[in-house]
Amino acid sequence: MNLKKTVLALTLNLLAFEAYSAAFALNEHSASGLGRAFAGEGAVSDNAAVMARNPGAMTMFSQAEFSVVGTAIGPDISLEGSSNNELDEDSIAPDALIPALYYIQPLNKNLVVGLGAFSNFGLATELPDDYPAGQLAGETSLTTININASGAYRFNRHFSLGLGVNLVYADATLIRHFGANPYGIAQETEAANMTGDDIAYGYNVGVLYEINDNHRISLAYRSQVDLILTGDYSNDLPLSFGGLAGETLAGELEITLPDIAELSGFHQLSDNLALHYSVQWTGWSSFERLEAYAEGVESPVFEKDEYFENSVRSAVGISYNLEDVLTLRAGLAYDETPIEQAYRSISIPDSNRIWYSTGMTYHFKNASSFDLGMSFIKGEEVEFTETDDLGQAWQFTSNGDATLVSAQYNYRF
């Protein structure tokens, strides 16, 4: 093995592999939706947040409406090393707050426009600087902001169509450390440090079919978004080992945020009780290959096949109107991981998850309302082995749960 080539390849490979090799979709667009595990989200139309899932459903609004949302996520993701207790970590993902804003404005009885700001993708994990498997995970974060301008038109009493244009800003940070090694390099030495951002565009489209006043279904699609994250790259490995000794280079990584399709249904079964359901498909198979580039190099400095699989999320929920002022909700969802066993990673040790959700809406006497939603997400325990670029194989057992609490205020003009 040529040590200098191996170390240089390691530092470049890390910037591409860990930041985007796990599922990082966000569903947290509304507190009302969280209360029913986001079942029927594209067809329910109980507040302006519906535009995040289906712009065609905006024709359900005859008055202007504004919604503001804040969702707190408390993850509980732990790691255990199968043969090394130094790998044990109680929590590798920090708490997070996801905000969102929506405004819908009817122009006439058939035409409606809307503007929203929310996020469809994001991730964050943190491990100690001296973590033995520091090459596999350290600090990884991805933040995206989606600005969505939409319009919808009602063709007749049954059929509405909505179209949207999306501006997506993405910002990423990746830090890796050299970890345990036989070369006398301190474990906390930075093997890779990269920051990058980009702005890109996409589109979304949605249809709403109203069978009658009590039953409707929707189908919505959100396009892929191609990003070229550009920024600074450096490492603190010594020059004698093929490192950069803190020198900063320009680097870039091309990634594709996957497309999403969702079928939703709403059925008012009685004056008080309604049933909701959704099936959401995410095209994670767009992550077939990752390529990273460094300044002045025409060919990729890193190439890797990922083989992500497309995944499906299924949800069912109910709403119950208690008199005129209170709506109660509950829901269940099964969220399928897109990551095959052979490609699991400790940066985000993803697994299949079950959502248990509940929530409520209080309707004030004026034109405003308040939503509260809560979910507990239970992830499966998974065991896997991950190998770093120095050939060291690390064995892990991972447990991943989360608690979500969301609040939302709505005002109808």
Side-chain angles (χ1 to χ4, degrees):
M1 176 182 65
N2 186 311
L3 180 58
K4 290 185 178 181
K5 290 184 177 180
T6 299
V7 173
L8 182 57
L10 166 67
T11 58
L12 293 173
N13 291 354
L14 288 172
L15 73 89
F17 178 58
E18 291 301 330
Y20 303 101
S21 62
F24 47 90
L26 296 174
N27 282 287
E28 291 72 28
H29 297 140
S30 71
S32 55
L34 183 66
R36 55 178 176 265
F38 298 103
E41 193 71 349
V44 176
S45 305
D46 46 8
N47 54 65
V50 70
M51 67 172 295
R53 306 299 272 261
N54 178 19
M58 294 192 303
T59 60
M60 296 294 296
F61 294 80
S62 58
Q63 296 175 269
E65 182 157 334
F66 169 77
S67 297
V68 56
V69 188
T71 302
I73 301 178
D76 182 15
I77 303 175
S78 62
L79 287 175
E80 293 182 4
S82 299
S83 59
N84 183 354
N85 58 18
E86 292 183 1
L87 299 176
D88 294 355
E89 289 291 331
D90 291 334
S91 181
I92 67 170
D95 296 342
L97 177 65
I98 304 175
L101 294 167
Y102 309 95
Y103 179 74
I104 289 178
Q105 175 66 61
L107 301 180
N108 55 48
K109 66 177 182 179
N110 294 322
L111 183 62
V112 183
V113 295
L115 183 66
F118 49 94
S119 179
N120 291 312
F121 299 95
L123 66 87
T125 55
E126 295 179 1
L127 285 160
D129 291 355
D130 60 353
Y131 192 64
Q135 298 172 16
L136 302 179
E139 178 183 345
T140 304
S141 68
L142 171 68
T143 301
T144 67
I145 301 172
N146 190 101
I147 308 298
N148 191 177
S150 300
Y153 187 81
R154 179 185 291 278
F155 290 91
N156 53 51
R157 66 180 300 268
H158 297 292
F159 181 73
S160 298
L161 173 67
L163 299 171
V165 176
N166 298 268
L167 182 153
V168 179
Y169 171 75
D171 180 86
T173 298
L174 175 72
I175 300 175
R176 295 289 181 267
H177 301 90
F178 201 65
N181 65 90
Y183 307 115
I185 298 177
Q187 291 187 180
E188 62 271 20
T189 302
E190 284 191 359
N193 187 323
M194 182 179 181
T195 59
D197 61 2
D198 190 24
I199 295 176
Y201 301 90
Y203 68 90
N204 61 311
V205 57
V207 296
L208 180 71
Y209 185 75
E210 299 173 67
I211 302 170
N212 54 43
D213 290 342
N214 294 321
H215 303 275
R216 53 186 178 266
I217 59 175
S218 74
L219 182 63
Y221 175 79
R222 184 171 294 278
S223 72
Q224 294 182 355
V225 175
D226 296 322
L227 294 164
I228 303 176
L229 297 169
T230 59
D232 295 330
Y233 168 74
S234 67
N235 68 61
D236 291 332
L237 294 171
L239 295 173
S240 60
F241 279 76
L244 299 176
E247 180 186 356
T248 299
L249 300 177
E252 70 175 37
L253 171 67
E254 296 185 19
I255 67 167
T256 299
L257 301 179
D259 53 346
I260 301 170
E262 185 171 30
L263 174 69
S264 300
F266 169 87
H267 302 282
Q268 191 72 45
L269 303 179
S270 69
D271 290 342
N272 296 323
L273 182 64
L275 172 70
H276 328 286
Y277 54 85
S278 290
V279 179
Q280 183 185 79
W281 172 93
T282 304
W284 289 108
S285 62
S286 59
F287 282 95
E288 293 182 354
R289 188 176 182 81
L290 292 173
E291 294 182 344
Y293 291 84
E295 182 180 27
V297 181
E298 293 185 3
S299 60
V301 295
F302 171 68
E303 299 174 272
K304 181 174 175 60
D305 294 327
E306 287 295 346
Y307 302 116
F308 272 39
E309 296 180 328
N310 298 332
S311 65
V312 173
R313 183 184 190 275
S314 303
V316 62
I318 58 171
S319 296
Y320 187 83
N321 295 319
L322 190 64
E323 298 180 346
D324 295 328
V325 297
L326 191 64
T327 300
L328 305 178
R329 300 186 180 88
L332 289 171
Y334 182 75
D335 204 353
E336 185 181 54
T337 179
I339 302 175
E340 295 185 71
Q341 178 69 19
Y343 296 94
R344 293 193 186 278
S345 169
I346 63 169
S347 59
I348 293 288
D350 201 39
S351 65
N352 297 325
R353 298 166 296 274
I354 298 177
W355 294 55
Y356 303 92
S357 300
T358 188
M360 52 78 70
T361 297
Y362 184 83
H363 305 273
F364 298 99
K365 291 183 178 180
N366 58 18
S368 62
S369 62
F370 174 78
D371 302 307
L372 181 66
M374 294 174 286
S375 287
F376 175 71
I377 304 175
K378 180 64 177 177
E380 293 181 352
E381 182 177 279
V382 293
E383 297 181 359
F384 59 97
T385 300
E386 191 173 4
T387 303
D388 62 31
D389 279 8
L390 297 180
Q392 298 180 94
W394 305 89
Q395 295 180 328
F396 300 97
T397 299
S398 173
N399 291 277
D401 304 328
T403 301
L404 284 68
V405 178
S406 183
Q408 177 173 338
Y409 178 75
N410 313 291
Y411 188 83
R412 186 164 293 182
F413 298 88

